[in-house]
Amino acid sequence: MEAILDIRGIRKNYEDLVVLDHLDMQVKSGEVVVIVGPSGCGKSTLLRCINALERIDDGEVVLDGKVINPQDKQLSKVREKIGMVFQSYELFPHKTVLQNLVLAPVIVKKMDRKEAEKEALRLLERVGLLSKQNNYPRQLSGGQKQRVAIVRALMMNPEILLLDEITAALDPEMVREVLEVVLDLAKEGRTMIIVTHELSFAKAVADRVVFIDGGRIIEEGEPGDFFEHPKTERLKKFLHSFAYE
Amino acid sequence: MISYFPKYVEAFWLTVRIGWLGIFLSIVLGIVSAFTIYFRIPVLSRITGAYVEIFRNTPLLVQLFFLYFGIPKLGLSVSAETCGIVGMGLLGGSYMAEAFRSSLGAIPKLQKESAEALGMTSFQAFFRVILPEAWILSIPAVVANVIFLLKETSVFSAISLMDLMFTAKDLIGLYYDTTEALFMLVVFYIIMLVPVSAAGSILEKRARYKMFGE
């Protein structure tokens, strides 16, 4: 299968600090790639570079054979194809759940509002939040907000979904309800890149796990090998920091 | 007391008219200034920044004197009423600019990014997401400014506009009936302002309910 996303030697600096150091990565259609690594290793920056929220200093990101160019007037067209969910949900606080979901399809895709609402309700039902359609974001729990945020990204029917530490701000008992939605999407064959600190979730959902440190890929592999037989010292040390025995 | 009444009513409408025209002008000026500063438009943002600082930090009375006595020196004739409206607009504009600018600045950058990540252009993200949120945030400050500006109309008497304050002073001068004249003055200011602050609270409650609840 051909890669739908091809990251070629991207480099990103913040002044003197190298955040991404000539990093290469390919993602195939239907593949779920989980990125793990210590804080500040460049995982989130990598996701932000993919949809050009962050400028890259070198290299290129290619989606569907087309280079994503931050200066492109059509950048918003490219971003339609890349869904993103943030750690802090970023729902629009002045709009109800339903309005949050239909806004982009209606004004970006010029979808009929009734159609968009129908689709929104179908997806809300799937994540168990149909009854919350007319609530404002402030009336939802963190886990509910994050499920709405996932649905909002799905509403654009993106080719690839980027999930940036989506459970990091949640209480432990809410983590599961969000991760179950993601597992469900993986089963459905969604292409996803997931940045997370939930290693057991990574094991369950990933086709491939990638360990990044210092802006480079240190090790990658399918979850079984990755977690049971890490090859590099750095990954061993990283995995060890999660264990208590 | 009854005989003063028509004079006060006349002064009341003059005050309301000048006050609200000035407020309308101040909102327009405030929005324009806040946008130029928020978008860091070269040159223009410097000019509006200076304008805001100058007008926020000088008294309305001084500004009115400059307009009323200064503009005729340039060979232009302006009525006291125009001076009042423009003066109020300029002073109010600097306050409104700060209210709008600070609310725009209070919307997290991630809101814009999440809108853009959904495929919105930066134009759409601004008008559909950032601006409506900022508007809701700015309502309390805008309502406070409106009430403040309506009270500032009392300064108009200094440039011979026959507003409420002028009328009261005039009547006191004519009849030495200080208590009654001042009493009527207070009553008319209350009539002018109570509906505004009531409407302001309703507006505030309705708009803020979405984002902040009761």
Side-chain angles (χ1 to χ4, degrees), chain A residues 48 76 79 82 86 88 90-94 103 107-108 136 138 156, chain B residues 110-111 113-114 116-120 124 128 132-133 209-213:
Chain A
R48 293 170 56 82
S76 62
R79 282 179 174 151
I82 309 172
F86 298 83
S88 47
E90 298 307 324
L91 297 178
F92 306 134
H94 60 301
L103 180 66
I107 69 171
V108 175
Y136 285 97
R138 66 176 169 79
M156 298 302 286
Chain B
L110 270 169
Q111 282 281 303
E113 291 178 347
S114 70
E116 289 183 354
L118 285 164
M120 290 185 217
Q124 286 169 327
R128 297 302 192 121
E133 284 181 41
Y209 172 78
K210 298 176 182 174
M211 268 158 80
F212 304 104

PDB file of all heavy atoms in Angstrom, chain A residues 48 76 79 82 86 88 90-94 103 107-108 136 138 156, chain B residues 110-111 113-114 116-120 124 128 132-133 209-213:
ATOM      1  N   ARG A  48       1.839  19.382  14.542  1.00  0.00           N
ATOM      2  CA  ARG A  48       1.510  20.747  14.129  1.00  0.00           C
ATOM      3  C   ARG A  48       2.192  21.119  12.822  1.00  0.00           C
ATOM      4  O   ARG A  48       1.692  21.959  12.076  1.00  0.00           O
ATOM      5  CB  ARG A  48       1.878  21.743  15.235  1.00  0.00           C
ATOM      6  CG  ARG A  48       1.001  21.566  16.492  1.00  0.00           C
ATOM      7  CD  ARG A  48       1.541  22.376  17.658  1.00  0.00           C
ATOM      8  NE  ARG A  48       1.673  23.773  17.313  1.00  0.00           N
ATOM      9  CZ  ARG A  48       0.687  24.644  17.343  1.00  0.00           C
ATOM     10  NH1 ARG A  48      -0.508  24.261  17.714  1.00  0.00           N
ATOM     11  NH2 ARG A  48       0.891  25.895  17.016  1.00  0.00           N
ATOM     12  N   SER A  76      -6.020  26.074   3.267  1.00  0.00           N
ATOM     13  CA  SER A  76      -7.225  25.624   3.971  1.00  0.00           C
ATOM     14  C   SER A  76      -7.835  24.401   3.289  1.00  0.00           C
ATOM     15  O   SER A  76      -8.422  23.548   3.937  1.00  0.00           O
ATOM     16  CB  SER A  76      -8.235  26.761   4.078  1.00  0.00           C
ATOM     17  OG  SER A  76      -8.636  27.183   2.806  1.00  0.00           O
ATOM     18  N   ARG A  79      -5.950  21.497   4.584  1.00  0.00           N
ATOM     19  CA  ARG A  79      -6.274  21.221   5.983  1.00  0.00           C
ATOM     20  C   ARG A  79      -7.618  20.522   6.145  1.00  0.00           C
ATOM     21  O   ARG A  79      -7.848  19.851   7.140  1.00  0.00           O
ATOM     22  CB  ARG A  79      -6.262  22.524   6.785  1.00  0.00           C
ATOM     23  CG  ARG A  79      -4.857  22.987   7.113  1.00  0.00           C
ATOM     24  CD  ARG A  79      -4.931  24.260   7.873  1.00  0.00           C
ATOM     25  NE  ARG A  79      -3.641  24.708   8.340  1.00  0.00           N
ATOM     26  CZ  ARG A  79      -3.346  25.995   8.525  1.00  0.00           C
ATOM     27  NH1 ARG A  79      -4.253  26.913   8.270  1.00  0.00           N
ATOM     28  NH2 ARG A  79      -2.167  26.337   8.968  1.00  0.00           N
ATOM     29  N   ILE A  82      -7.048  16.998   6.671  1.00  0.00           N
ATOM     30  CA  ILE A  82      -6.313  16.580   7.866  1.00  0.00           C
ATOM     31  C   ILE A  82      -7.102  16.999   9.092  1.00  0.00           C
ATOM     32  O   ILE A  82      -7.221  18.182   9.383  1.00  0.00           O
ATOM     33  CB  ILE A  82      -4.925  17.249   7.906  1.00  0.00           C
ATOM     34  CG1 ILE A  82      -4.190  17.054   6.571  1.00  0.00           C
ATOM     35  CG2 ILE A  82      -4.107  16.702   9.068  1.00  0.00           C
ATOM     36  CD1 ILE A  82      -2.906  17.839   6.461  1.00  0.00           C
ATOM     37  N   PHE A  86      -7.138  18.468  19.678  1.00  0.00           N
ATOM     38  CA  PHE A  86      -6.151  19.052  20.581  1.00  0.00           C
ATOM     39  C   PHE A  86      -6.333  18.556  22.016  1.00  0.00           C
ATOM     40  O   PHE A  86      -7.428  18.172  22.414  1.00  0.00           O
ATOM     41  CB  PHE A  86      -6.293  20.583  20.587  1.00  0.00           C
ATOM     42  CG  PHE A  86      -6.054  21.221  19.249  1.00  0.00           C
ATOM     43  CD1 PHE A  86      -7.063  21.291  18.296  1.00  0.00           C
ATOM     44  CD2 PHE A  86      -4.823  21.777  18.941  1.00  0.00           C
ATOM     45  CE1 PHE A  86      -6.848  21.892  17.061  1.00  0.00           C
ATOM     46  CE2 PHE A  86      -4.595  22.382  17.714  1.00  0.00           C
ATOM     47  CZ  PHE A  86      -5.610  22.443  16.773  1.00  0.00           C
ATOM     48  N   SER A  88      -6.533  20.351  24.625  1.00  0.00           N
ATOM     49  CA  SER A  88      -7.458  21.221  25.363  1.00  0.00           C
ATOM     50  C   SER A  88      -8.820  21.356  24.660  1.00  0.00           C
ATOM     51  O   SER A  88      -9.504  22.352  24.829  1.00  0.00           O
ATOM     52  CB  SER A  88      -6.827  22.582  25.560  1.00  0.00           C
ATOM     53  OG  SER A  88      -6.275  23.038  24.342  1.00  0.00           O
ATOM     54  N   GLU A  90     -10.612  22.632  22.582  1.00  0.00           N
ATOM     55  CA  GLU A  90     -10.799  23.780  21.681  1.00  0.00           C
ATOM     56  C   GLU A  90     -12.143  23.773  20.961  1.00  0.00           C
ATOM     57  O   GLU A  90     -12.245  24.125  19.797  1.00  0.00           O
ATOM     58  CB  GLU A  90      -9.647  23.879  20.668  1.00  0.00           C
ATOM     59  CG  GLU A  90      -8.293  24.096  21.305  1.00  0.00           C
ATOM     60  CD  GLU A  90      -8.243  25.284  22.273  1.00  0.00           C
ATOM     61  OE1 GLU A  90      -8.907  26.309  22.028  1.00  0.00           O
ATOM     62  OE2 GLU A  90      -7.534  25.163  23.291  1.00  0.00           O
ATOM     63  N   LEU A  91     -13.191  23.363  21.680  1.00  0.00           N
ATOM     64  CA  LEU A  91     -14.537  23.571  21.133  1.00  0.00           C
ATOM     65  C   LEU A  91     -14.801  25.060  21.126  1.00  0.00           C
ATOM     66  O   LEU A  91     -14.143  25.815  21.841  1.00  0.00           O
ATOM     67  CB  LEU A  91     -15.568  22.848  22.000  1.00  0.00           C
ATOM     68  CG  LEU A  91     -15.427  21.325  22.048  1.00  0.00           C
ATOM     69  CD1 LEU A  91     -16.466  20.730  22.985  1.00  0.00           C
ATOM     70  CD2 LEU A  91     -15.549  20.719  20.662  1.00  0.00           C
ATOM     71  N   PHE A  92     -15.762  25.498  20.309  1.00  0.00           N
ATOM     72  CA  PHE A  92     -16.082  26.919  20.261  1.00  0.00           C
ATOM     73  C   PHE A  92     -17.105  27.219  21.366  1.00  0.00           C
ATOM     74  O   PHE A  92     -18.238  26.756  21.297  1.00  0.00           O
ATOM     75  CB  PHE A  92     -16.620  27.304  18.881  1.00  0.00           C
ATOM     76  CG  PHE A  92     -15.685  26.899  17.773  1.00  0.00           C
ATOM     77  CD1 PHE A  92     -16.158  26.258  16.640  1.00  0.00           C
ATOM     78  CD2 PHE A  92     -14.313  27.148  17.875  1.00  0.00           C
ATOM     79  CE1 PHE A  92     -15.290  25.865  15.627  1.00  0.00           C
ATOM     80  CE2 PHE A  92     -13.442  26.768  16.867  1.00  0.00           C
ATOM     81  CZ  PHE A  92     -13.932  26.124  15.747  1.00  0.00           C
ATOM     82  N   PRO A  93     -16.708  27.990  22.395  1.00  0.00           N
ATOM     83  CA  PRO A  93     -17.535  28.092  23.607  1.00  0.00           C
ATOM     84  C   PRO A  93     -18.861  28.832  23.399  1.00  0.00           C
ATOM     85  O   PRO A  93     -19.770  28.684  24.196  1.00  0.00           O
ATOM     86  CB  PRO A  93     -16.641  28.873  24.581  1.00  0.00           C
ATOM     87  CG  PRO A  93     -15.668  29.597  23.725  1.00  0.00           C
ATOM     88  CD  PRO A  93     -15.453  28.739  22.514  1.00  0.00           C
ATOM     89  N   HIS A  94     -18.964  29.616  22.321  1.00  0.00           N
ATOM     90  CA  HIS A  94     -20.197  30.388  22.117  1.00  0.00           C
ATOM     91  C   HIS A  94     -21.207  29.618  21.280  1.00  0.00           C
ATOM     92  O   HIS A  94     -22.259  30.146  20.940  1.00  0.00           O
ATOM     93  CB  HIS A  94     -19.879  31.725  21.459  1.00  0.00           C
ATOM     94  CG  HIS A  94     -19.215  31.589  20.117  1.00  0.00           C
ATOM     95  ND1 HIS A  94     -18.023  30.931  19.944  1.00  0.00           N
ATOM     96  CD2 HIS A  94     -19.589  32.007  18.893  1.00  0.00           C
ATOM     97  CE1 HIS A  94     -17.682  30.971  18.665  1.00  0.00           C
ATOM     98  NE2 HIS A  94     -18.616  31.607  18.010  1.00  0.00           N
ATOM     99  N   LEU A 103     -20.548  23.824  11.867  1.00  0.00           N
ATOM    100  CA  LEU A 103     -19.963  25.079  11.384  1.00  0.00           C
ATOM    101  C   LEU A 103     -19.020  24.871  10.194  1.00  0.00           C
ATOM    102  O   LEU A 103     -19.232  25.427   9.115  1.00  0.00           O
ATOM    103  CB  LEU A 103     -19.227  25.807  12.525  1.00  0.00           C
ATOM    104  CG  LEU A 103     -18.582  27.134  12.114  1.00  0.00           C
ATOM    105  CD1 LEU A 103     -19.630  28.163  11.742  1.00  0.00           C
ATOM    106  CD2 LEU A 103     -17.678  27.678  13.216  1.00  0.00           C
ATOM    107  N   ILE A 107     -19.677  26.048   6.290  1.00  0.00           N
ATOM    108  CA  ILE A 107     -19.012  27.201   5.673  1.00  0.00           C
ATOM    109  C   ILE A 107     -17.785  26.812   4.853  1.00  0.00           C
ATOM    110  O   ILE A 107     -17.407  27.528   3.947  1.00  0.00           O
ATOM    111  CB  ILE A 107     -18.654  28.309   6.705  1.00  0.00           C
ATOM    112  CG1 ILE A 107     -17.545  27.857   7.645  1.00  0.00           C
ATOM    113  CG2 ILE A 107     -19.867  28.777   7.484  1.00  0.00           C
ATOM    114  CD1 ILE A 107     -17.030  28.992   8.502  1.00  0.00           C
ATOM    115  N   VAL A 108     -17.184  25.676   5.148  1.00  0.00           N
ATOM    116  CA  VAL A 108     -15.995  25.284   4.378  1.00  0.00           C
ATOM    117  C   VAL A 108     -16.376  24.366   3.214  1.00  0.00           C
ATOM    118  O   VAL A 108     -16.011  24.609   2.071  1.00  0.00           O
ATOM    119  CB  VAL A 108     -14.958  24.593   5.290  1.00  0.00           C
ATOM    120  CG1 VAL A 108     -13.788  24.076   4.481  1.00  0.00           C
ATOM    121  CG2 VAL A 108     -14.481  25.561   6.366  1.00  0.00           C
ATOM    122  N   TYR A 136     -24.095  23.691  25.694  1.00  0.00           N
ATOM    123  CA  TYR A 136     -22.886  24.448  25.387  1.00  0.00           C
ATOM    124  C   TYR A 136     -21.689  23.679  25.951  1.00  0.00           C
ATOM    125  O   TYR A 136     -21.830  22.950  26.939  1.00  0.00           O
ATOM    126  CB  TYR A 136     -22.967  25.848  26.000  1.00  0.00           C
ATOM    127  CG  TYR A 136     -23.899  26.748  25.232  1.00  0.00           C
ATOM    128  CD1 TYR A 136     -25.213  26.940  25.632  1.00  0.00           C
ATOM    129  CD2 TYR A 136     -23.461  27.372  24.066  1.00  0.00           C
ATOM    130  CE1 TYR A 136     -26.085  27.746  24.897  1.00  0.00           C
ATOM    131  CE2 TYR A 136     -24.313  28.172  23.329  1.00  0.00           C
ATOM    132  CZ  TYR A 136     -25.633  28.358  23.757  1.00  0.00           C
ATOM    133  OH  TYR A 136     -26.462  29.142  23.013  1.00  0.00           O
ATOM    134  N   ARG A 138     -19.364  24.399  27.942  1.00  0.00           N
ATOM    135  CA  ARG A 138     -19.107  24.520  29.385  1.00  0.00           C
ATOM    136  C   ARG A 138     -19.966  23.567  30.210  1.00  0.00           C
ATOM    137  O   ARG A 138     -19.679  23.344  31.384  1.00  0.00           O
ATOM    138  CB  ARG A 138     -19.349  25.959  29.838  1.00  0.00           C
ATOM    139  CG  ARG A 138     -20.787  26.370  29.719  1.00  0.00           C
ATOM    140  CD  ARG A 138     -21.061  27.751  30.252  1.00  0.00           C
ATOM    141  NE  ARG A 138     -22.394  28.162  29.866  1.00  0.00           N
ATOM    142  CZ  ARG A 138     -23.528  27.778  30.461  1.00  0.00           C
ATOM    143  NH1 ARG A 138     -23.487  26.995  31.517  1.00  0.00           N
ATOM    144  NH2 ARG A 138     -24.695  28.187  30.008  1.00  0.00           N
ATOM    145  N   MET A 156     -15.576  16.596   8.888  1.00  0.00           N
ATOM    146  CA  MET A 156     -14.961  17.018   7.631  1.00  0.00           C
ATOM    147  C   MET A 156     -14.515  15.815   6.807  1.00  0.00           C
ATOM    148  O   MET A 156     -13.953  15.961   5.739  1.00  0.00           O
ATOM    149  CB  MET A 156     -13.763  17.935   7.907  1.00  0.00           C
ATOM    150  CG  MET A 156     -14.103  19.232   8.612  1.00  0.00           C
ATOM    151  SD  MET A 156     -15.294  20.227   7.707  1.00  0.00           S
ATOM    152  CE  MET A 156     -14.265  20.832   6.373  1.00  0.00           C
TER     153      MET A 156
ATOM    154  N   LEU B 110      -5.076  29.030  20.208  1.00  0.00           N
ATOM    155  CA  LEU B 110      -5.508  27.680  19.831  1.00  0.00           C
ATOM    156  C   LEU B 110      -6.917  27.656  19.237  1.00  0.00           C
ATOM    157  O   LEU B 110      -7.250  26.765  18.473  1.00  0.00           O
ATOM    158  CB  LEU B 110      -5.455  26.754  21.043  1.00  0.00           C
ATOM    159  CG  LEU B 110      -4.137  26.018  21.269  1.00  0.00           C
ATOM    160  CD1 LEU B 110      -4.134  25.353  22.636  1.00  0.00           C
ATOM    161  CD2 LEU B 110      -3.902  24.972  20.182  1.00  0.00           C
ATOM    162  N   GLN B 111      -7.742  28.630  19.618  1.00  0.00           N
ATOM    163  CA  GLN B 111      -9.082  28.689  19.030  1.00  0.00           C
ATOM    164  C   GLN B 111      -8.992  28.954  17.531  1.00  0.00           C
ATOM    165  O   GLN B 111      -9.691  28.349  16.735  1.00  0.00           O
ATOM    166  CB  GLN B 111      -9.907  29.804  19.699  1.00  0.00           C
ATOM    167  CG  GLN B 111     -10.452  29.409  21.041  1.00  0.00           C
ATOM    168  CD  GLN B 111     -11.690  28.531  20.932  1.00  0.00           C
ATOM    169  OE1 GLN B 111     -12.682  28.905  20.324  1.00  0.00           O
ATOM    170  NE2 GLN B 111     -11.633  27.349  21.501  1.00  0.00           N
ATOM    171  N   GLU B 113      -6.358  28.322  15.721  1.00  0.00           N
ATOM    172  CA  GLU B 113      -5.730  27.163  15.097  1.00  0.00           C
ATOM    173  C   GLU B 113      -6.715  26.016  14.916  1.00  0.00           C
ATOM    174  O   GLU B 113      -6.681  25.320  13.908  1.00  0.00           O
ATOM    175  CB  GLU B 113      -4.529  26.705  15.936  1.00  0.00           C
ATOM    176  CG  GLU B 113      -3.400  27.701  15.888  1.00  0.00           C
ATOM    177  CD  GLU B 113      -2.205  27.299  16.743  1.00  0.00           C
ATOM    178  OE1 GLU B 113      -2.329  26.374  17.576  1.00  0.00           O
ATOM    179  OE2 GLU B 113      -1.156  27.925  16.587  1.00  0.00           O
ATOM    180  N   SER B 114      -7.597  25.825  15.899  1.00  0.00           N
ATOM    181  CA  SER B 114      -8.527  24.711  15.749  1.00  0.00           C
ATOM    182  C   SER B 114      -9.534  25.011  14.633  1.00  0.00           C
ATOM    183  O   SER B 114      -9.961  24.105  13.926  1.00  0.00           O
ATOM    184  CB  SER B 114      -9.231  24.393  17.069  1.00  0.00           C
ATOM    185  OG  SER B 114     -10.131  25.399  17.411  1.00  0.00           O
ATOM    186  N   GLU B 116      -8.783  26.814  11.985  1.00  0.00           N
ATOM    187  CA  GLU B 116      -8.042  26.637  10.732  1.00  0.00           C
ATOM    188  C   GLU B 116      -7.762  25.165  10.446  1.00  0.00           C
ATOM    189  O   GLU B 116      -7.724  24.747   9.291  1.00  0.00           O
ATOM    190  CB  GLU B 116      -6.743  27.447  10.777  1.00  0.00           C
ATOM    191  CG  GLU B 116      -7.040  28.937  10.700  1.00  0.00           C
ATOM    192  CD  GLU B 116      -5.794  29.807  10.675  1.00  0.00           C
ATOM    193  OE1 GLU B 116      -4.679  29.282  10.831  1.00  0.00           O
ATOM    194  OE2 GLU B 116      -5.950  31.013  10.497  1.00  0.00           O
ATOM    195  N   ALA B 117      -7.589  24.376  11.512  1.00  0.00           N
ATOM    196  CA  ALA B 117      -7.359  22.947  11.313  1.00  0.00           C
ATOM    197  C   ALA B 117      -8.599  22.279  10.713  1.00  0.00           C
ATOM    198  O   ALA B 117      -8.511  21.228  10.098  1.00  0.00           O
ATOM    199  CB  ALA B 117      -6.991  22.275  12.637  1.00  0.00           C
ATOM    200  N   LEU B 118      -9.759  22.909  10.877  1.00  0.00           N
ATOM    201  CA  LEU B 118     -10.986  22.377  10.279  1.00  0.00           C
ATOM    202  C   LEU B 118     -11.157  22.827   8.827  1.00  0.00           C
ATOM    203  O   LEU B 118     -12.167  22.551   8.206  1.00  0.00           O
ATOM    204  CB  LEU B 118     -12.211  22.828  11.079  1.00  0.00           C
ATOM    205  CG  LEU B 118     -12.431  22.126  12.417  1.00  0.00           C
ATOM    206  CD1 LEU B 118     -13.416  22.903  13.276  1.00  0.00           C
ATOM    207  CD2 LEU B 118     -12.941  20.711  12.196  1.00  0.00           C
ATOM    208  N   GLY B 119     -10.169  23.562   8.332  1.00  0.00           N
ATOM    209  CA  GLY B 119     -10.223  23.981   6.933  1.00  0.00           C
ATOM    210  C   GLY B 119     -10.740  25.395   6.731  1.00  0.00           C
ATOM    211  O   GLY B 119     -10.906  25.833   5.596  1.00  0.00           O
ATOM    212  N   MET B 120     -10.999  26.118   7.830  1.00  0.00           N
ATOM    213  CA  MET B 120     -11.442  27.505   7.655  1.00  0.00           C
ATOM    214  C   MET B 120     -10.253  28.362   7.239  1.00  0.00           C
ATOM    215  O   MET B 120      -9.130  28.132   7.676  1.00  0.00           O
ATOM    216  CB  MET B 120     -11.998  28.064   8.967  1.00  0.00           C
ATOM    217  CG  MET B 120     -13.319  27.459   9.380  1.00  0.00           C
ATOM    218  SD  MET B 120     -13.952  28.289  10.866  1.00  0.00           S
ATOM    219  CE  MET B 120     -14.683  26.900  11.702  1.00  0.00           C
ATOM    220  N   GLN B 124     -12.349  33.365   7.719  1.00  0.00           N
ATOM    221  CA  GLN B 124     -13.507  32.676   8.316  1.00  0.00           C
ATOM    222  C   GLN B 124     -13.295  32.438   9.806  1.00  0.00           C
ATOM    223  O   GLN B 124     -14.204  32.622  10.614  1.00  0.00           O
ATOM    224  CB  GLN B 124     -13.744  31.325   7.618  1.00  0.00           C
ATOM    225  CG  GLN B 124     -14.332  31.456   6.239  1.00  0.00           C
ATOM    226  CD  GLN B 124     -14.312  30.134   5.475  1.00  0.00           C
ATOM    227  OE1 GLN B 124     -13.417  29.308   5.642  1.00  0.00           O
ATOM    228  NE2 GLN B 124     -15.300  29.937   4.626  1.00  0.00           N
ATOM    229  N   ARG B 128     -16.023  33.971  12.236  1.00  0.00           N
ATOM    230  CA  ARG B 128     -16.956  32.979  12.760  1.00  0.00           C
ATOM    231  C   ARG B 128     -16.617  32.549  14.178  1.00  0.00           C
ATOM    232  O   ARG B 128     -17.474  32.053  14.894  1.00  0.00           O
ATOM    233  CB  ARG B 128     -16.967  31.735  11.860  1.00  0.00           C
ATOM    234  CG  ARG B 128     -17.453  31.996  10.464  1.00  0.00           C
ATOM    235  CD  ARG B 128     -18.856  32.580  10.518  1.00  0.00           C
ATOM    236  NE  ARG B 128     -19.454  32.577   9.203  1.00  0.00           N
ATOM    237  CZ  ARG B 128     -20.591  31.950   8.919  1.00  0.00           C
ATOM    238  NH1 ARG B 128     -21.248  31.307   9.865  1.00  0.00           N
ATOM    239  NH2 ARG B 128     -21.075  31.999   7.711  1.00  0.00           N
ATOM    240  N   PRO B 132     -16.962  36.616  17.340  1.00  0.00           N
ATOM    241  CA  PRO B 132     -18.125  36.398  18.220  1.00  0.00           C
ATOM    242  C   PRO B 132     -17.731  36.137  19.672  1.00  0.00           C
ATOM    243  O   PRO B 132     -18.389  36.627  20.593  1.00  0.00           O
ATOM    244  CB  PRO B 132     -18.805  35.163  17.621  1.00  0.00           C
ATOM    245  CG  PRO B 132     -18.304  35.051  16.233  1.00  0.00           C
ATOM    246  CD  PRO B 132     -16.941  35.669  16.210  1.00  0.00           C
ATOM    247  N   GLU B 133     -16.663  35.396  19.880  1.00  0.00           N
ATOM    248  CA  GLU B 133     -16.221  35.137  21.259  1.00  0.00           C
ATOM    249  C   GLU B 133     -15.753  36.426  21.919  1.00  0.00           C
ATOM    250  O   GLU B 133     -16.086  36.709  23.072  1.00  0.00           O
ATOM    251  CB  GLU B 133     -15.062  34.135  21.271  1.00  0.00           C
ATOM    252  CG  GLU B 133     -15.498  32.713  21.028  1.00  0.00           C
ATOM    253  CD  GLU B 133     -14.308  31.772  21.075  1.00  0.00           C
ATOM    254  OE1 GLU B 133     -13.434  31.940  21.940  1.00  0.00           O
ATOM    255  OE2 GLU B 133     -14.252  30.864  20.225  1.00  0.00           O
ATOM    256  N   TYR B 209     -24.369  33.946  28.899  1.00  0.00           N
ATOM    257  CA  TYR B 209     -24.911  32.659  29.320  1.00  0.00           C
ATOM    258  C   TYR B 209     -24.250  31.521  28.553  1.00  0.00           C
ATOM    259  O   TYR B 209     -23.868  30.513  29.124  1.00  0.00           O
ATOM    260  CB  TYR B 209     -26.425  32.631  29.108  1.00  0.00           C
ATOM    261  CG  TYR B 209     -27.020  31.267  29.345  1.00  0.00           C
ATOM    262  CD1 TYR B 209     -27.233  30.808  30.636  1.00  0.00           C
ATOM    263  CD2 TYR B 209     -27.320  30.435  28.275  1.00  0.00           C
ATOM    264  CE1 TYR B 209     -27.741  29.547  30.859  1.00  0.00           C
ATOM    265  CE2 TYR B 209     -27.823  29.161  28.493  1.00  0.00           C
ATOM    266  CZ  TYR B 209     -28.037  28.726  29.782  1.00  0.00           C
ATOM    267  OH  TYR B 209     -28.531  27.467  30.003  1.00  0.00           O
ATOM    268  N   LYS B 210     -24.106  31.727  27.240  1.00  0.00           N
ATOM    269  CA  LYS B 210     -23.531  30.681  26.402  1.00  0.00           C
ATOM    270  C   LYS B 210     -22.167  30.242  26.907  1.00  0.00           C
ATOM    271  O   LYS B 210     -21.886  29.069  27.036  1.00  0.00           O
ATOM    272  CB  LYS B 210     -23.343  31.200  24.977  1.00  0.00           C
ATOM    273  CG  LYS B 210     -24.611  31.586  24.299  1.00  0.00           C
ATOM    274  CD  LYS B 210     -24.278  32.162  22.938  1.00  0.00           C
ATOM    275  CE  LYS B 210     -25.530  32.616  22.226  1.00  0.00           C
ATOM    276  NZ  LYS B 210     -25.193  33.288  20.972  1.00  0.00           N
ATOM    277  N   MET B 211     -21.324  31.228  27.175  1.00  0.00           N
ATOM    278  CA  MET B 211     -19.951  30.898  27.489  1.00  0.00           C
ATOM    279  C   MET B 211     -19.704  30.657  28.972  1.00  0.00           C
ATOM    280  O   MET B 211     -18.831  29.899  29.348  1.00  0.00           O
ATOM    281  CB  MET B 211     -19.010  31.987  26.977  1.00  0.00           C
ATOM    282  CG  MET B 211     -18.498  31.680  25.584  1.00  0.00           C
ATOM    283  SD  MET B 211     -17.936  33.120  24.696  1.00  0.00           S
ATOM    284  CE  MET B 211     -16.320  33.374  25.371  1.00  0.00           C
ATOM    285  N   PHE B 212     -20.491  31.355  29.829  1.00  0.00           N
ATOM    286  CA  PHE B 212     -20.147  31.301  31.248  1.00  0.00           C
ATOM    287  C   PHE B 212     -21.254  30.795  32.159  1.00  0.00           C
ATOM    288  O   PHE B 212     -21.042  30.621  33.346  1.00  0.00           O
ATOM    289  CB  PHE B 212     -19.712  32.685  31.728  1.00  0.00           C
ATOM    290  CG  PHE B 212     -18.588  33.254  30.930  1.00  0.00           C
ATOM    291  CD1 PHE B 212     -18.818  34.243  30.004  1.00  0.00           C
ATOM    292  CD2 PHE B 212     -17.311  32.770  31.102  1.00  0.00           C
ATOM    293  CE1 PHE B 212     -17.781  34.762  29.256  1.00  0.00           C
ATOM    294  CE2 PHE B 212     -16.271  33.282  30.358  1.00  0.00           C
ATOM    295  CZ  PHE B 212     -16.507  34.281  29.431  1.00  0.00           C
ATOM    296  N   GLY B 213     -22.456  30.600  31.623  1.00  0.00           N
ATOM    297  CA  GLY B 213     -23.547  30.158  32.474  1.00  0.00           C
ATOM    298  C   GLY B 213     -24.116  31.298  33.282  1.00  0.00           C
ATOM    299  O   GLY B 213     -23.865  32.460  32.994  1.00  0.00           O
TER     300      GLY B 213
END
